[in-house]
Amino acid sequence: MILELKPTVSADKANDLGKRVNGIVVQDGDRFCLVTSSKVKEVSSEFKEFIEQEHVMDTDIQLASRSYKSTTRKIDLGNGKTIGGTTGNTVMIAGPCSVEDVKQIDQTATLLNKLSVGVMRGGCYKPRTSPYSFQGLGIEGLKMLADARTAHGFSIITEVRDATHVADVIEYTDIIQIGAKAMYDHGILKACGAARKPVMIKRGFGTTLQEFVQAAEFVLSGGNSDVILCERGIRTFETKTRFTLDLCGVAFLKEYTNLPIILDPSHAMGYRYGIADLTRACTAMGIDGLIIEVHPIPEVAKSDAAQQLNHAEFTELYHSLGAVAKSVGRTII
Ligand code: PEP
Ligand code: MN
């Protein structure tokens, strides 16, 4: 249950009321809200004088639900770009799987700048399946991304793999990415709840939609209202493609949550040959953003080599998206 308190209720009073209902106190604009378990369906009459509006909830998808906020949250990504709201924008995020060296970052950053792509991606702490694979450049990589931002003026997004370096990622990045394997890490979710930067949470490949959105609830109830969801494919019986992109799940998220939605065709498909078609299909879903892996020479990439597009492939794909976006009332930015 969400109890929206009147704007006149002070922080001290909100904390006191929060304790009495076993609820979390969350500031939302000019007021406080108390969020209890969704099992609570009513509060005693002594609370009524402090309450502006009550939202009874079916499940613990609460702050993220459209029954609490009917319009999609609008989130500032820095450098004049926003995601969500009612703008009808589909934000393109592109860049390599991993930050590998200055030359690689400079080449792709120059391409993205030329195409006016507003957000560059690149992992510096890689959650690899094998301990013998490239694990990322760490803080050195974060500095390379930050230098590219200074040189080219876009925003950057990079992932946090575990709680040991979450502070460094928060310091350097504009948008914090929580990966599919990290989305259950409560140390990360807690740190991101306290951060003042947008957070993009990727759906774990064995995660139900309920669990996915509840991970977002940890960040939202921790005090950070800027959360974006990213569908990147789930594991099914199919093995010919790397994962199965759950577009039905995307329809659910669009219908029932107020969080902007980004789709990641690169990790879902896992192979270069399908990415362009899949990206156009994603765009036709009328979503808030796309995240695509791009590398100057994918064949030598240190991670996810099979799925990264080269510069020519990405450029061709990028130019084909405008018409698809337009057909569903959106613009690629
Ligand atoms: C990535 O974005 O490079 C990545 C590791 O993605 P995921 O967490 O979805 O596997
Ligand atoms: Mn990757």
Side-chain angles (χ1 to χ4, degrees):
M1 185 176 201
I2 300 179
L3 304 167
E4 269 184 69
L5 302 181
K6 291 181 175 158
T8 48
V9 176
S10 68
D12 283 349
K13 187 71 197 168
N15 284 325
D16 170 49
L17 296 171
K19 277 196 196 110
R20 283 157 59 192
V21 291
N22 284 325
I24 298 179
V25 181
V26 180
Q27 185 155 15
D28 187 1
D30 64 346
R31 72 197 59 205
F32 294 96
C33 292
L34 310 180
V35 191
T36 69
S37 160
S38 56
K39 291 188 185 115
V40 178
K41 303 295 181 193
E42 60 178 348
V43 287
S44 83
S45 57
E46 64 194 277
F47 287 86
K48 300 285 180 206
E49 62 175 300
F50 305 106
I51 294 171
E52 181 124 311
Q53 209 181 337
E54 294 179 19
H55 304 264
V56 177
M57 298 292 180
D58 295 338
T59 78
D60 277 351
I61 296 178
Q62 301 204 66
L63 292 166
S65 87
R66 283 221 192 270
S67 61
Y68 170 54
K69 271 187 199 302
S70 59
T71 52
T72 305
R73 288 167 192 256
K74 187 173 180 182
I75 298 176
D76 187 357
L77 301 179
N79 296 298
K81 301 249 159 146
T82 59
I83 191 168
T86 49
T87 54
N89 289 335
T90 298
V91 178
M92 173 59 80
I93 303 172
C97 179
S98 297
V99 175
E100 297 171 6
D101 55 59
V102 173
K103 189 171 168 214
Q104 171 228 21
I105 290 303
D106 193 50
Q107 286 176 334
T108 299
T110 302
L111 173 80
L112 299 182
N113 192 4
K114 198 169 113 200
L115 296 174
S116 300
V117 169
V119 186
M120 183 172 187
R121 63 151 288 148
C124 303
Y125 300 90
K126 297 305 298 178
R128 304 308 298 280
T129 308
S130 166
Y132 312 115
S133 303
F134 177 61
Q135 305 292 307
L137 295 181
I139 188 109
E140 256 187 90
L142 292 178
K143 287 180 183 163
M144 287 177 202
L145 277 180
D147 288 346
R149 168 178 52 203
T150 308
H152 296 282
F154 41 54
S155 298
I156 55 175
I157 176 167
T158 192
E159 67 189 293
V160 49
R161 184 184 58 212
D162 61 64
T164 61
H165 53 257
V166 64
D168 287 338
V169 171
I170 291 170
E171 183 188 335
Y172 280 92
T173 198
D174 299 301
I175 307 156
I176 308 156
Q177 172 176 332
I178 304 180
K181 291 174 187 149
M183 60 147 276
Y184 289 105
D185 184 321
H186 283 226
I188 293 176
L189 294 172
K190 201 165 168 219
C192 289
R196 296 280 70 90
K197 289 193 175 169
V199 180
M200 182 186 82
I201 306 181
K202 299 186 89 176
R203 181 181 181 186
F205 49 70
T207 300
T208 65
L209 293 163
Q210 180 76 28
E211 290 163 344
F212 181 29
V213 185
Q214 280 182 186
E217 290 283 335
F218 274 99
V219 179
L220 295 166
S221 66
N224 188 343
S225 57
D226 294 342
V227 181
I228 301 159
L229 300 175
C230 177
E231 162 63 35
R232 45 76 76 208
I234 53 174
R235 184 159 280 163
T236 65
F237 55 81
E238 188 52 70
T239 54
K240 293 289 186 204
T241 58
R242 191 175 180 194
F243 294 100
T244 298
L245 193 64
D246 183 13
L247 295 185
C248 297
V250 170
F252 168 87
L253 297 172
K254 280 182 68 177
E255 182 73 11
Y256 290 104
T257 80
N258 59 41
L259 306 178
I261 298 161
I262 288 180
L263 293 192
D264 176 349
S266 300
H267 288 86
M269 185 69 207
Y271 300 99
R272 196 149 37 253
Y273 74 86
I275 308 287
D277 284 343
L278 195 51
T279 305
R280 285 186 283 269
C282 290
T283 305
M285 288 288 293
I287 36 91
D288 302 291
L290 290 157
I291 183 164
I292 312 280
E293 288 193 338
V294 184
H295 192 288
I297 316 170
E299 294 74 14
V300 301
K302 292 187 172 163
S303 60
D304 287 347
Q307 72 196 28
Q308 302 201 57
L309 300 185
N310 66 32
H311 285 189
E313 289 164 336
F314 178 73
T315 303
E316 193 186 341
L317 165 61
Y318 187 69
H319 288 316
S320 76
L321 294 177
V324 183
K326 195 168 170 219
S327 73
V328 291
R330 289 195 170 249
T331 311
I332 304 284
I333 63 158

